[in-house]
Amino acid sequence: MVKDRALAANGKVTLPNGFPLRLEGDMAWTGSDYEGKPDLYVSYLSPGEIIQIEGAISHFKALRVSRGLLSTQTFPLPEELSSRLQSINNKVNNGRGFVVLRGLQPAKYTEEEIVILYAGLTSYVANNRARFIDHIYYQRKSKEDGEVLRPPELPVAMNFHTDADTGNILSMFTQNKSQRGGIQHLSSFWHVYNTLAEEFPEVLATLAEEWHWEKPNNANGACTSDILCRPIVAQVDGKPQINFSRSFVAGHPKYPLSANAPPLTDRQKDALDTLIDIAKRNSLQLDQEAGDILFINNLSILHARDAFIDGSESDQQRHVLRLWLMDRETGWPIAKSLKYQNEDLWDTKPESQQLCTLTEWAAIPRATRIQGVRAAISHD
């Protein structure tokens, strides 16, 4: 539910045109609403449902077809379980904005079976997926070889962001947790929005202005960048949404913007600091277990990650599979003013999709894994 747009009065800063005065509903939450209460956002798979999922894995393997052909038809599940999975879509788009699916035990499955069950289950949540599965882990070998890694490839903390220019739903499968750290945090942009609209309307107005963006469009990020002029925050039918990664507008010590990039103004710096500060102060530390699949509304929920330390055993080395999803029927339409650069994520025929296992992924040279995919580098 959205309330009417704020009107100009007494010379005060007003909200951008079309932006609501306040957002109300389940998506406008704070961390205290869910802290220590995982049962409120975790959907538990029963032993019987696990057996049904394993049956679908066996069914798909028997077909002997490309993993890109994984769908609700080739990964068949009983009606009750399929309906439960489809209901995740509604909770992500019209409810709190995030759901954790729990009960899978990754150690039970081969690498291939993990990819099959992950892509198979997500096909019930959204009707389209990106052309590849991403593997997020500490890429020690690449670092030893002298490559300059980005934060998702390192065991460093990552501040609040969305996966820029990707799908309207972000999914992440936790295959292994780290020995220490690596905790994920979520923050409701709807709550952030309400705080900004009430207390810092000038910040909201700044975020809705056009910013200079520089975004790498290939895997190594060293050759070319898409240079865009677009806002961080926009709205569709009075429903605000955010597309945000700080390094693309403010630069990063290891990945500075080009020499021709205009420096941020003090007003812009303050807007970024205020946005992240409010998100952090009202965030949820996510309860997380190996085997969890997290689904996030990528236009209304910001996420962050703590630094981590891997152990010596493989099951103590953080490994997350990521798959961007797009549902054009039930998902949020993306504001045209955000100028998403993601057409190449969705234009691949199913049989050509790169649904790789970690072993297959690691065998591909880092610079060519997802070369030419603009949205491949989606955040800091």
Side-chain angles (χ1 to χ4, degrees):
M1 174 181 177
V2 296
K3 292 189 175 180
D4 293 338
R5 179 172 58 87
L7 301 176
N10 301 323
K12 293 183 179 180
V13 177
T14 59
L15 300 184
N17 186 42
F19 280 61
L21 180 63
R22 184 173 180 82
L23 294 164
E24 295 181 348
D26 292 344
M27 209 167 292
W29 51 265
T30 67
S32 61
D33 294 330
Y34 294 104
E35 203 72 54
K37 307 169 187 175
D39 288 352
L40 294 181
Y41 59 83
V42 174
S43 179
Y44 296 91
L45 292 166
S46 70
E49 289 172 328
I50 299 294
I51 292 173
Q52 292 167 355
I53 291 168
E54 291 172 349
I57 295 172
S58 298
H59 175 91
F60 181 80
K61 290 173 70 176
L63 296 177
R64 298 184 180 277
V65 295
S66 166
R67 294 174 208 148
L69 294 172
L70 277 157
S71 68
T72 56
Q73 287 72 45
T74 59
F75 191 85
L77 294 171
E79 183 176 353
E80 184 174 353
L81 178 53
S82 65
S83 295
R84 277 194 64 198
L85 295 172
Q86 290 163 0
S87 72
I88 292 174
N89 180 299
N90 185 54
K91 292 173 184 175
V92 168
N93 286 305
N94 304 306
R96 74 184 77 91
F98 70 100
V99 173
V100 173
L101 185 66
R102 176 169 294 171
L104 297 166
Q105 298 179 31
K108 291 178 60 178
Y109 308 108
T110 66
E111 282 190 318
E112 181 185 25
E113 288 170 342
I114 285 173
V115 170
I116 290 171
L117 71 85
Y118 180 33
L121 291 173
T122 55
S123 68
Y124 285 86
V125 178
N127 60 16
N128 204 358
R129 61 170 170 258
R131 58 189 277 189
F132 60 88
I133 282 181
D134 213 354
H135 292 266
I136 303 172
Y137 62 100
Y138 179 20
Q139 297 191 27
R140 295 172 181 80
K141 186 178 184 304
S142 294
K143 184 177 181 181
E144 291 167 359
D145 291 342
E147 295 191 56
V148 178
L149 304 184
R150 301 191 73 87
E153 302 166 315
L154 295 166
V156 298
M158 297 172 60
N159 218 329
F160 282 97
H161 62 278
T162 65
D163 280 18
D165 295 325
T166 60
N168 46 27
I169 298 177
L170 163 66
S171 71
M172 292 185 281
F173 177 92
T174 301
Q175 181 165 336
N176 296 320
K177 295 174 60 178
S178 55
Q179 186 177 46
R180 284 190 289 165
I183 295 171
Q184 291 180 308
H185 303 262
L186 304 181
S187 190
S188 163
F189 175 64
W190 275 33
H191 180 80
V192 173
Y193 178 92
N194 287 341
T195 303
L196 292 175
E198 181 176 355
E199 301 178 25
F200 307 100
E202 71 283 358
V203 169
L204 195 55
T206 300
L207 294 172
E209 294 173 354
E210 293 199 331
W211 293 59
H212 177 90
W213 284 64
E214 293 189 10
K215 189 169 178 294
N217 64 14
N218 56 16
N220 61 23
C223 297
T224 61
S225 292
D226 288 324
I227 297 178
L228 303 165
C229 191
R230 61 181 179 179
I232 292 171
V233 173
Q235 61 82 25
V236 174
D237 298 329
K239 183 184 291 185
Q241 50 191 238
I242 184 168
N243 185 44
F244 174 62
S245 176
R246 184 167 190 152
S247 68
F248 297 153
V249 295
H252 185 280
K254 291 185 177 180
Y255 321 101
L257 301 183
S258 68
N260 295 326
L264 292 182
T265 64
D266 290 342
R267 185 166 55 90
Q268 288 176 318
K269 293 176 184 177
D270 178 68
L272 295 181
D273 291 343
T274 303
L275 169 65
I276 292 174
D277 177 66
I278 296 172
K280 188 177 298 184
R281 286 191 285 109
N282 295 280
S283 64
L284 167 67
Q285 178 177 303
L286 200 66
D287 183 82
Q288 192 173 8
E289 295 183 5
D292 284 355
I293 304 180
L294 171 64
F295 296 91
I296 299 174
N297 184 318
N298 193 43
L299 296 168
S300 72
I301 304 295
L302 296 150
H303 61 283
R305 184 191 78 190
D306 289 346
F308 63 90
I309 298 174
D310 282 338
S312 57
E313 301 297 324
S314 60
D315 63 355
Q316 297 177 328
Q317 296 175 4
R318 191 177 190 274
H319 177 204
V320 174
L321 286 72
R322 177 177 62 189
L323 190 54
W324 295 311
L325 308 174
M326 175 72 77
D327 198 306
R328 302 185 191 279
E329 296 177 7
T330 60
W332 287 20
I334 297 168
K336 292 181 180 179
S337 63
L338 292 179
K339 301 176 185 176
Y340 259 44
Q341 302 285 298
N342 69 358
E343 299 84 358
D344 44 12
L345 278 178
W346 319 104
D347 63 0
T348 303
K349 293 180 179 179
E351 56 271 21
S352 299
Q353 291 179 358
Q354 290 181 287
L355 303 187
C356 298
T357 67
L358 177 59
T359 298
E360 293 165 344
W361 178 261
I364 302 171
R366 177 176 174 271
T368 60
R369 285 174 189 155
I370 41 184
Q371 193 164 11
V373 182
R374 284 175 168 174
I377 300 176
S378 60
H379 51 72
D380 299 351

